[in-house]
Amino acid sequence: MIVLTKLNNQQILLNCAQIEAVELIPESKIVMMNGKFYLVKESAEEIIEKTIEYNGRIHCYHTDR
């Protein structure tokens, strides 16, 4: 699960394994596999970084920065 911020500043947890697409409109519109979507403040790069970090924790791999 990754923490993201909706446009009203409410934080939400999303299952990043269920993200189908991210549209940039200019905020990020996250489209889930079930068809629901969320508008969030984080950029595509931030969402990708959070997903990589989360996957690293659950799959025990490390990335060098």
Side-chain angles (χ1 to χ4, degrees):
M1 303 288 273
I2 58 174
V3 179
L4 298 171
T5 310
K6 293 171 66 172
L7 299 181
N8 65 359
N9 291 322
Q10 178 185 5
Q11 289 192 322
I12 57 171
L13 291 169
L14 283 183
N15 181 349
C16 56
Q18 295 296 309
I19 295 174
E20 184 174 332
V22 177
E23 298 176 21
L24 307 175
I25 56 171
E27 60 277 328
S28 298
K29 178 181 178 182
I30 300 178
V31 181
M32 307 300 286
M33 294 178 110
N34 64 3
K36 291 184 179 182
F37 68 88
Y38 300 92
L39 297 176
V40 298
K41 292 183 175 186
E42 287 79 8
S43 67
E45 292 80 17
E46 290 173 298
I47 296 166
I48 292 167
E49 186 60 37
K50 287 176 182 248
T51 300
I52 290 169
E53 183 181 316
Y54 171 76
N55 285 328
R57 285 195 311 260
I58 63 168
H59 297 296
C60 299
Y61 64 80
H62 303 279
T63 58
D64 294 329
R65 295 177 194 231

